[in-house]
Amino acid sequence: MDGLPKVELHLHLEGAAPPAFIAGLAKEKHLDIAGVFDERGNYRYKDFWDFLKVYEAATSALQSPRDYQRLVLAVLEESAKSGVVYCETFVSPDFCGGRDVGAWKEYLHAMQEAADEAERDLGVTLRGIITCIRHFGPEKARETARCAAETAGSWIVGFGIAGDEKIGVPKDFRWSFDCAREAGLRLTAHAGEWGGPESVRDAVHDLGVERIGHGVRAIEDLALVDELAETGIVLEVCPGSNVTLGIYKTFRDHPIAELDRRGVKVTISTDDPPFFHTTMAREYDELHKAFDWDEGQFRRIARQSLDAAFCDADTKARIGKLLEA
Ligand code: HPA
Ligand code: ZN
């Protein structure tokens, strides 16, 4: 399945940083973040909550627009190796200039330059979704939403929320989502990974999102599954992430195939690939092994993913041709 053209909608930019890249930056800056890595140089964490801490510690090595420019190139090189032709990545003004609009614009400019270069040289198109971070609280989310509203356009195409799903409730963030929507941004929210089906329902009803990050625990409430299918809400499913973090024991236990059979629009992503020891190519291989999904199934899901992408129609038409290859 390596050669199949792929569309990825759920990728945290810092979480996609190769550990050697972060280690190299830390060395250049004489930062001691050794605790982030294990003896083999992989990221080390105990569980999801520890992962969030390690994520932020690793991110502390990224300190300038230039660092983010290099990061985007490093990440897209990996995407290209897996056959990804279109990718949407979560970017956070929290980590890029501390939610200051002027600083954020400089970071964004640097990332876009790298994305242009990668589109030319690697054939991967990238767009950004600004995410607020749930455990940083609603007040900081409002500042993030202002950054998003100021930079909404053809490259920043969406707004979302990541972080610790167990803190607060979606409606705490309603102001931020309304602000982003009014600026023309499309909306997604992490839910139904650590929270149950009610967290998916709340994100859909209280924030008005059209996509859900993960959302897989909707399977525990079949009335909700039917609602998602009928309303066409799209799930950004990250099976390898869920298996690595222990939400499901194996790929065969993962509900992606059942959700798909029940008519929910599922897509396939990696979340934070080096943290979860995965790549888009590996997700495809594991799904093929677990559910005997064939090329036709993967092509249908890639097309479904592109339909759910937040980019403009011209970009979709161009990528659509690549998916037919
Ligand atoms: N889930 C939630 N929040 C995150 C993640 C994730 O995988 N990565 C970075 N922030
Ligand atoms: Zn995620």
Side-chain angles (χ1 to χ4, degrees), residues 10 12 90 162 190 193 214 238 271-272:
H10 188 117
H12 299 264
F90 298 124
H190 279 66
E193 178 191 18
H214 299 286
C238 307
D271 215 7
D272 305 272

Side-chain angles (χ1 to χ4, degrees), residues 210-231:
E210 56 184 297
R211 292 191 343 214
I212 294 280
H214 299 286
V216 285
R217 292 192 50 206
I219 200 68
E220 295 164 29
D221 178 345
L222 294 181
L224 174 64
V225 171
D226 286 346
E227 181 184 332
L228 297 176
E230 276 159 29
T231 53

Side-chain angles (χ1 to χ4, degrees), residues 4-11 83-89 125 127 129 157 186 188 210-212 232-239 256 260 264-270 280 283-284 287 293 295-313 315-317 319-320 323:
L4 286 179
K6 302 176 181 69
V7 170
E8 174 158 43
L9 300 179
H10 188 117
L11 180 73
V84 173
V85 293
Y86 177 84
C87 177
E88 289 180 2
T89 188
T125 296
R127 295 291 183 267
I129 297 174
V157 291
R186 313 271 298 272
T188 176
E210 56 184 297
R211 292 191 343 214
I212 294 280
I233 300 279
V234 171
L235 301 189
E236 302 156 5
V237 184
C238 307
I256 186 170
D260 182 56
V264 178
K265 290 184 177 170
V266 300
T267 62
I268 302 166
S269 294
T270 59
M280 279 296 275
E283 297 291 326
Y284 271 49
L287 291 169
W293 281 3
E295 180 175 331
Q297 170 77 347
F298 285 114
R299 285 191 181 276
R300 182 176 67 74
I301 290 181
R303 181 65 238 186
Q304 184 157 279
S305 307
L306 184 61
D307 290 341
F310 289 162
C311 61
D312 60 40
T315 307
K316 272 192 198 184
I319 305 296
L323 292 190

Side-chain angles (χ1 to χ4, degrees), residues 10 12 15 48 51-52 55 162-164 190 193 214 241 245 271-272 276:
H10 188 117
H12 299 264
F48 177 69
F51 154 78
L52 289 176
Y55 187 105
D164 187 351
H190 279 66
E193 178 191 18
H214 299 286
S241 162
L245 289 172
D271 215 7
D272 305 272
F276 303 142

Side-chain angles (χ1 to χ4, degrees), residues 58-306:
T59 297
S60 71
L62 293 155
Q63 298 179 341
S64 67
R66 169 90 188 121
D67 292 343
Y68 270 82
Q69 188 166 3
R70 290 162 68 188
L71 172 62
V72 166
L73 283 175
V75 168
L76 292 180
E77 272 170 26
E78 295 302 315
S79 301
K81 281 188 211 159
S82 272
V84 173
V85 293
Y86 177 84
C87 177
E88 289 180 2
T89 188
F90 298 124
V91 291
S92 299
D94 297 84
F95 302 133
C96 301
R99 297 175 302 278
D100 174 81
V101 174
W104 162 244
K105 285 183 176 168
E106 288 179 28
Y107 277 82
L108 178 58
H109 181 74
M111 288 188 241
Q112 284 181 273
E113 274 196 353
D116 288 348
E117 186 180 331
E119 187 167 270
R120 232 180 15 245
D121 298 348
L122 302 170
V124 190
T125 296
L126 184 68
R127 295 291 183 267
I129 297 174
I130 293 188
T131 44
C132 57
I133 297 170
R134 190 148 160 177
H135 54 273
F136 291 178
E139 186 53 47
K140 291 198 169 78
R142 281 194 269 275
E143 295 174 20
T144 304
R146 286 189 198 101
C147 289
E150 286 286 332
T151 52
S154 60
W155 201 83
I156 290 294
V157 291
F159 183 76
I161 183 167
D164 187 351
E165 238 183 79
K166 292 212 162 154
I167 292 183
V169 289
K171 70 171 180 298
D172 299 340
F173 298 90
R174 187 182 272 161
W175 188 95
S176 297
F177 278 74
D178 287 347
C179 170
R181 183 189 299 104
E182 281 160 26
L185 290 166
R186 313 271 298 272
L187 304 176
T188 176
H190 279 66
E193 178 191 18
W194 300 102
E198 70 292 344
S199 72
V200 176
R201 207 176 251 121
D202 288 350
V204 171
H205 295 171
D206 295 343
L207 300 177
V209 298
E210 56 184 297
R211 292 191 343 214
I212 294 280
H214 299 286
V216 285
R217 292 192 50 206
I219 200 68
E220 295 164 29
D221 178 345
L222 294 181
L224 174 64
V225 171
D226 286 346
E227 181 184 332
L228 297 176
E230 276 159 29
T231 53
I233 300 279
V234 171
L235 301 189
E236 302 156 5
V237 184
C238 307
S241 162
N242 296 156
V243 170
T244 299
L245 289 172
I247 295 174
Y248 303 104
K249 269 213 180 79
T250 69
F251 272 74
R252 288 174 75 101
D253 299 310
H254 196 282
I256 186 170
E258 177 73 9
L259 288 160
D260 182 56
R261 267 195 302 276
R262 290 179 176 273
V264 178
K265 290 184 177 170
V266 300
T267 62
I268 302 166
S269 294
T270 59
D271 215 7
D272 305 272
F275 281 92
F276 303 142
H277 316 293
T278 191
T279 61
M280 279 296 275
R282 169 157 189 258
E283 297 291 326
Y284 271 49
D285 284 345
E286 294 289 348
L287 291 169
H288 167 66
K289 279 192 268 174
F291 302 116
D292 204 23
W293 281 3
D294 61 10
E295 180 175 331
Q297 170 77 347
F298 285 114
R299 285 191 181 276
R300 182 176 67 74
I301 290 181
R303 181 65 238 186
Q304 184 157 279
S305 307
L306 184 61

